Amino acid sequence: MLLGIYLFLIVIVGILIIISLVGSRAKSDSVLGKMYESIYVKNKIIHGITEYLFYKPNPLLIILMGVLIIVGYVLLAIEPMKVLNSHGHWLIFPHLQFLGTLILYCLAIKTPPGYIKKSNLKVYQNRYPYDNILYKRESNCEYCHLEKIPRSKHCKRCGKCVARFDHHCPWINQCVGEKNCKFFLFFLLSMSISLITITYYCIIAIKYFMEDHNMTGKHPAIITPTTTIPLDLSLIFIILFNYMRYTIMMIILCSVMGVAVLCFFLNQLYITSKGYTTYEKIKWDRMYDEYQQYLNEIDKMTEEQQNDNSLEEVVNPDSLINYYDNGFLNNIKSALFPEKYPQANSKLKKHK
């Protein structure tokens, strides 16, 4: 029953991630884009459900993630931990890891991302100077009617301007911003370590089970007082699936999810270490795309057309400087502890 629930939750999570991330970014003329168009956009029921889950404030994905973590822990305790305990491995780390992951997830959910208000506007003005590339002194936010602070963005889902806006995460039902960025990163790290560790423990549990039942060695067999039944790979798998099905499924699911979450964490860490937020990285990538399109248009022109070029010149992003890049360690410290380590780049000061 628990295994069925867990598999169902994994499938639901997978579908939601594909719909929200892959489908929405696919090109409209691609196979995936056409599938996304026909299933998500034209189907009012699916569109409404996904729109509510990902674009409206709601606790459903938080509940789903919480159940996923708790059910995974219960499945670990039901089978693999019993085998490990029978061999004298009284492990404390998985319990502490589970508790730590749950606490970090709660902190990421409950800690506001850093909303910009009239009361703290001057604080953020001093903390985040303009770079005049991505962020220029412009008009106020059309929704909050406050000054557009550098590195901030108005989140339409939250209805507020968020300091050092990274992205809106439906899994924590709010934005990832200045205040909760560290908890979000630590949660991803803890989650990936937990999943990979569970995979390791499950593999060890399978190993012990096979050794206990004479399934290892050159001639694996079931030995009884009256007969000996040789075992081939198919029989071994059938026996394992009958007696260790939870453990086998945990190995498959946790290894895949562990690698996926770890990759997401490393991507977030890489972006942060380069002095970007996810939102800023997207903006820089768009600048590169626009410049590449500009070069492609120039290449298609004849020499006369190039001399009489009416195309608006696009600046090469390689000639621009990310003034928020303070170096690897300073970028990490600034992201994790923004109040203690504010933006203090010497390049940015000269630029100002």
Side-chain angles (χ1 to χ4, degrees):
M1 181 64 180
L2 274 175
L3 182 60
I5 293 172
Y6 200 65
L7 287 173
F8 176 75
L9 291 174
I10 292 293
V11 170
I12 293 296
V13 169
I15 291 172
L16 291 174
I17 290 173
I18 290 171
I19 290 175
S20 64
L21 296 180
V22 182
S24 59
R25 296 181 185 182
K27 294 182 179 180
S28 58
D29 58 346
S30 65
V31 175
L32 190 59
K34 290 177 181 177
M35 288 176 61
Y36 175 76
E37 178 77 18
S38 60
I39 296 173
Y40 172 73
V41 178
K42 293 182 179 179
N43 191 309
K44 292 183 179 180
I45 296 175
I46 296 177
H47 177 78
I49 293 171
T50 312
E51 194 76 15
Y52 174 75
L53 287 175
F54 287 98
Y55 300 102
K56 304 289 182 183
N58 69 85
L60 293 182
L61 290 181
I62 292 176
I63 295 170
L64 179 62
M65 179 63 76
V67 171
L68 202 64
I69 294 171
I70 293 170
V71 171
Y73 174 75
V74 172
L75 288 175
L76 178 68
I78 285 176
E79 207 170 69
M81 292 297 290
K82 285 184 178 180
V83 175
L84 293 171
N85 291 342
S86 67
H87 285 77
H89 296 281
W90 296 94
L91 301 171
I92 299 176
F93 181 74
H95 306 290
L96 296 176
Q97 192 67 35
F98 163 76
L99 185 62
T101 301
L102 208 55
I103 290 172
L104 287 169
Y105 186 52
C106 291
L107 287 171
I109 293 168
K110 297 300 291 183
T111 305
Y115 296 121
I116 298 174
K117 309 171 187 175
K118 285 184 179 180
S119 57
N120 59 19
L121 189 62
K122 287 189 177 180
V123 174
Y124 287 120
Q125 285 173 335
N126 295 328
R127 188 173 297 167
Y128 297 108
Y130 290 93
D131 65 348
N132 292 322
I133 299 173
L134 297 182
Y135 304 102
K136 301 176 182 179
R137 293 184 182 274
E138 297 176 346
S139 58
N140 295 344
C141 171
E142 60 179 306
Y143 302 100
C144 297
H145 306 293
L146 297 173
E147 181 184 338
K148 289 183 179 179
I149 300 297
R151 313 206 77 181
S152 70
K153 183 182 181 297
H154 183 91
C155 178
K156 293 181 181 179
R157 302 174 198 177
C158 296
K160 297 175 183 177
C161 283
V162 178
R164 201 185 176 280
F165 176 87
D166 191 272
H167 68 284
H168 182 92
C169 179
W171 298 99
I172 62 173
N173 198 28
Q174 64 174 346
C175 294
V176 177
E178 182 194 71
K179 301 290 186 183
N180 64 351
C181 178
K182 54 179 172 288
F183 298 124
F184 182 74
L185 286 173
F186 285 135
F187 164 68
L188 291 178
L189 177 61
S190 179
M191 187 74 167
S192 59
I193 291 173
S194 296
L195 291 167
I196 293 170
T197 304
I198 288 171
T199 304
Y200 170 75
Y201 287 139
C202 288
I203 291 172
I204 297 299
I206 291 283
K207 175 178 174 291
Y208 282 143
F209 180 84
M210 292 179 68
E211 289 175 352
D212 292 342
H213 295 81
N214 198 34
M215 294 183 187
T216 57
K218 293 183 179 179
H219 304 288
I222 297 175
I223 301 173
T224 66
T226 57
T227 185
T228 299
I229 304 172
L231 297 174
D232 57 15
L233 287 176
S234 60
L235 284 174
I236 290 173
F237 180 78
I238 290 170
I239 293 170
L240 286 176
F241 192 77
N242 283 333
Y243 291 94
M244 300 288 287
R245 62 170 65 92
Y246 292 141
T247 308
I248 292 172
M249 294 310 300
M250 291 285 284
I251 290 172
I252 297 170
L253 296 174
C254 290
S255 60
V256 173
M257 290 176 62
V259 171
V261 176
L262 181 61
C263 289
F264 184 57
F265 165 74
L266 292 175
N267 179 63
Q268 286 290 121
L269 187 66
Y270 172 77
I271 290 173
T272 303
S273 69
K274 291 294 184 179
Y276 301 113
T277 62
T278 301
Y279 175 66
E280 290 168 353
K281 185 68 170 63
I282 291 172
K283 292 182 78 171
W284 277 97
D285 288 343
R286 284 177 182 168
M287 290 170 63
Y288 277 104
D289 290 341
E290 289 173 3
Y291 182 68
Q292 189 59 50
Q293 289 176 5
Y294 170 75
L295 293 179
N296 292 338
E297 290 294 328
I298 293 293
D299 289 340
K300 292 177 183 177
M301 293 179 176
T302 62
E303 190 172 335
E304 290 182 4
Q305 288 175 324
Q306 289 181 14
N307 293 332
D308 190 31
N309 184 14
S310 59
L311 281 176
E312 184 179 347
E313 187 175 353
V314 178
V315 178
N316 184 356
D318 288 329
S319 64
L320 303 176
I321 299 173
N322 178 16
Y323 290 102
Y324 300 117
D325 183 5
N326 300 317
F328 179 84
L329 287 177
N330 288 329
N331 290 335
I332 298 295
K333 288 192 292 185
S334 178
L336 299 181
F337 310 104
E339 295 178 3
K340 190 175 181 181
Y341 301 100
Q343 293 290 333
N345 195 326
S346 58
K347 293 183 293 183
L348 192 54
K349 289 181 178 179
K350 291 178 182 178
H351 179 65
K352 286 176 68 181

